[in-house]
Amino acid sequence: MQARARSASPRRSKRTARGRFITFEGGEGTGKSTQTRLLAERLRSQGLEVVTTREPGGSPGAEAIRHVLLSGAAKPLGPMAEALLFAAARADHIDVTILPALSRGAWVISDRFADSTRVYQGSLGNLDPRMIEALERVTVGDTRPDLTLILDLPAEEGLARAAARSGAGADRFEAEDIQFHRTLRDAFRELAEREPARCVLVDAHGAAESVAAAVWDAVGERLLNASQKMEKAG
Ligand code: TYD
């Protein structure tokens, strides 16, 4: 009951926070966690407080749900149940980690967020888009990202990178076939086209530093104020 009371109000009220909320999205092995780290370092060097986090997870309650999802234990329940679990994890993540940080003026960078549910459970899981929208309305509410960076790489290249990283232990979604990952890439690209005011598609080929430079350009263009831009040039 206590957790429910805690989670009911903040998402319904308008966010008055000064902090900025950035998310990284994309397929497997596109470099989201590396780019999350590099962007956080760069923003901190500008004197900003930055909180990095990830989904599924990012709070103790959500990390417990992460285990259920990525072990494949929830797969037999179907995409609808998985979407509900991702949403439950997200609600806790927002309440415990994201909103408190944004409200004190920190910048929050999340490695995946609600767009992953739209794409993995919505597009790939064939769930009714109205169901996904309804879930987003009740879990995310006003806590929408100010900027979403979608890292784009051919499915084969991303999977090869992910396999090199995790060895034989592919998780629930990495273990899907190549066609799944191709459709995933297309769905993320379509999302970037549909929401150009929030999303920037970033070519994730090449060295981490060159991808980070493209990310930084997008952040500078969309979010940094004039004085911070001058620091950037100097
Ligand atoms: P993770 O180990 O964090 O992998 P990655 O480096 O690819 O982000 O695993 C998260 C997996 O969960 C990933 O395959 C995408 C999937 N996912 C969803 O299906 N729906 C969601 O809402 C989220 C946040 C993640």
Side-chain angles (χ1 to χ4, degrees):
M1 288 314 281
Q2 214 180 355
R4 209 179 159 75
R6 180 197 70 203
S7 65
S9 56
R11 279 191 301 281
R12 270 207 300 266
S13 59
K14 264 245 163 291
R15 177 155 70 80
T16 51
R18 290 164 292 131
R20 297 304 183 110
F21 183 25
I22 300 174
T23 57
F24 278 99
E25 297 280 3
E28 314 291 322
T30 51
K32 294 179 298 300
S33 27
T34 304
Q35 293 306 322
T36 297
R37 183 174 50 78
L38 293 175
L39 178 59
E41 282 168 11
R42 191 123 190 213
L43 287 169
R44 284 184 189 119
S45 76
Q46 307 273 313
L48 293 164
E49 184 195 349
V50 182
V51 171
T52 59
T53 186
R54 69 163 180 188
E55 287 207 353
S59 64
E63 290 289 332
I65 300 174
R66 173 187 175 92
H67 176 72
V68 175
L69 283 161
L70 298 194
S71 66
K75 186 178 177 184
L77 305 178
M80 167 72 115
E82 287 185 311
L84 293 172
L85 285 167
F86 278 112
R90 182 161 304 125
D92 192 62
H93 182 209
I94 290 171
D95 285 348
V96 172
T97 305
I98 298 176
L99 273 179
L102 291 175
S103 327
R104 65 172 187 268
W107 287 45
V108 175
I109 311 174
S110 187
D111 177 350
R112 292 196 185 281
F113 192 62
D115 293 316
S116 284
T117 301
R118 286 194 201 178
V119 168
Y120 281 78
Q121 283 67 52
S123 307
L124 277 295
N126 275 322
L127 291 185
D128 185 337
R130 286 171 304 178
M131 213 286 287
I132 299 286
E133 278 165 31
L135 270 183
E136 245 183 67
R137 218 168 28 247
V138 291
T139 53
V140 176
D142 293 324
T143 315
R144 282 182 295 272
D146 298 297
L147 173 65
T148 294
L149 298 146
I150 298 178
L151 300 186
D152 181 55
L153 205 59
E156 291 79 357
E157 290 180 43
L159 279 181
R161 284 195 199 175
R165 178 189 64 192
S166 48
D171 71 28
R172 151 81 180 87
F173 295 96
E174 280 167 17
E176 293 282 355
D177 66 15
I178 186 70
Q179 194 48 49
F180 176 97
H181 293 281
R182 288 191 186 126
T183 311
L184 189 69
R185 183 197 190 195
D186 291 344
F188 273 122
R189 291 174 65 98
E190 276 165 31
L191 175 67
E193 268 176 36
R194 254 196 336 269
E195 291 197 36
R198 172 175 66 91
C199 300
V200 175
L201 193 73
V202 177
D203 182 352
H205 280 105
E209 290 70 23
S210 58
V211 179
V215 164
W216 188 245
D217 283 346
V219 171
E221 204 174 288
R222 305 283 182 114
L223 297 183
L224 292 179
N225 64 33
S227 65
Q228 284 164 322
K229 276 187 185 168
M230 275 165 58
E231 270 181 62
K232 175 186 158 216

